[in-house]
Amino acid sequence: MSSGHDPVYPEYETEASQTSKLLRKFKETPFVPIGMAGFAMVVGYGLYKLKHRGNMKMSLHLIHMRVAAQGFVVGAITCGVLYSMFREYVVKPKE
């Protein structure tokens, strides 16, 4: 056994603030916050347009809003994957 209190996973048990962890994650994967922000914007726009939907049924309006939000998130995930592949295989092949 060790004599002192050594952390099992030191990278997880550091005394970093939640904000610094969040900023580090956003720098590693920049398309995640873009997808989250786009999702929030689509939902906000859909809720705004809910009053002015005219003859459209509520269920149809909600289906359109859901499809638009999911499409934005899937597009952001796809861009993120392509960006990480580009960074891994095109920019960094110096091995």
Side-chain angles (χ1 to χ4, degrees):
M1 293 275 151
S2 64
S3 60
H5 175 62
D6 294 333
V8 178
Y9 297 107
E11 64 271 7
Y12 293 112
E13 295 185 15
T14 58
E15 294 296 325
S17 69
Q18 293 289 57
T19 307
S20 65
K21 287 180 185 179
L22 189 64
L23 289 175
R24 182 178 50 85
K25 277 294 191 185
F26 285 171
K27 286 180 184 175
E28 290 174 5
T29 55
F31 286 95
V32 171
I34 293 171
M36 291 168 49
F39 176 79
M41 287 189 315
V42 167
V43 169
Y45 179 73
L47 290 174
Y48 173 73
K49 292 302 263 183
L50 189 62
K51 280 187 159 181
H52 309 290
R53 69 180 188 270
N55 287 358
M56 188 183 296
K57 290 183 178 180
M58 172 74 92
S59 61
L60 188 60
H61 176 74
L62 292 175
I63 288 171
H64 287 167
M65 191 171 68
R66 182 195 64 141
V67 168
Q70 283 179 335
F72 196 93
V73 170
V74 168
I77 290 172
T78 303
C79 289
V81 167
L82 291 174
Y83 174 72
S84 67
M85 287 174 58
F86 174 77
R87 196 172 56 182
E88 182 71 27
Y89 296 113
V90 176
V91 176
K92 189 180 141 183
K94 294 184 179 183
E95 294 181 297

